[in-house]
């Protein structure tokens, strides 16, 4: 009991108390929504995209390394969203649900192997993540695979890249 505060204790408002509390008017949403802080993303919902039979062609047409999570869950795990958000500048991120049996067979993944994470390179070669699932381990795997992927510039320069590394580990050499 606080003698300075007068009146009855505050009561939490609930939708059962009054019908007006249930849903705000439509105009209120415009004022309650935060102002956009970033330009519109090309892929709504964040850096992680769902891969299904309808967008397999777009997946194959996407350049660079593609990190793919195969999962039996209905929702994308938070750790995958965090990895995708922190590494979105390196590669594209995709999720495949177990209900997409055709896609799982395309990538030679069985339901017993779930969850499974792999990186698919532009040339179609794949690397599968083996290890404990942690933010640090997944990020290291993604960065290693993206660094090992050959880039067009490295291919023209006649060195570096390769499927499993061999790029020297140093900064790129400027053209003469």
């Amino acid at each position: 009991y606080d003698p300075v505060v007068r009146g009855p204790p505050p009561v939490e408002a609930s939708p059962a108390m009054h019908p007006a509390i249930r849903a705000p008017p439509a105009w209120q949403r415009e004022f309650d929504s935060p102002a956009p802080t970033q330009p519109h993303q090309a892929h709504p919902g964040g850096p992680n995209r769902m891969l299904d039979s309808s967008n397999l062609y777009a997946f194959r047409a996407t350049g660079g390394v593609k990190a793919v999570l195969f999962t039996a869950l209905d929702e994308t795990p938070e750790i995958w969203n965090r990895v995708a958000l922190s590494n979105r500048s390196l590669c594209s991120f995709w999720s495949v649900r177990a209900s997409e049996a055709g896609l799982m067979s395309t990538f030679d993944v069985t339901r017993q192997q779930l969850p499974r994470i792999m990186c698919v390179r532009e040339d179609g070669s794949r690397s599968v993540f083996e290890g404990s699932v942690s933010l640090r381990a997944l990020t290291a795997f993604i960065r290693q695979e993206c660094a090992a992927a050959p880039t067009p510039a490295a291919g023209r320069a006649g060195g570096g890249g390769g499927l499993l590394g061999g790029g020297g580990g140093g900064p790129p050499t400027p053209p003469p």
Side-chain angles (χ1 to χ4, degrees), residues 13 33 53 57 98 150:
S33 63
S53 56
Y57 181 78

Side-chain angles (χ1 to χ4, degrees), residues 103-122:
L103 279 177
M104 289 187 44
S105 66
T106 299
F107 289 97
D108 300 320
V109 176
T110 63
R111 199 170 178 85
Q112 291 77 24
Q113 296 172 320
L114 299 180
R116 189 144 184 116
I117 296 168
M118 72 172 58
C119 283
V120 181
R121 295 186 190 88
E122 255 181 294

Side-chain angles (χ1 to χ4, degrees), residues 87-145:
N87 295 292
R88 65 182 172 214
S89 63
L90 301 175
C91 64
S92 59
F93 288 83
W94 302 77
S95 296
V96 177
R97 303 283 185 253
S99 58
E100 293 287 335
L103 279 177
M104 289 187 44
S105 66
T106 299
F107 289 97
D108 300 320
V109 176
T110 63
R111 199 170 178 85
Q112 291 77 24
Q113 296 172 320
L114 299 180
R116 189 144 184 116
I117 296 168
M118 72 172 58
C119 283
V120 181
R121 295 186 190 88
E122 255 181 294
D123 63 2
S125 61
R126 306 173 191 159
S127 298
V128 178
F129 174 75
E130 303 288 341
S132 62
V133 177
S134 69
L135 185 62
R136 178 175 282 170
L138 288 172
T139 299
F141 172 72
I142 298 295
R143 290 183 178 173
Q144 175 185 345
E145 292 303 314

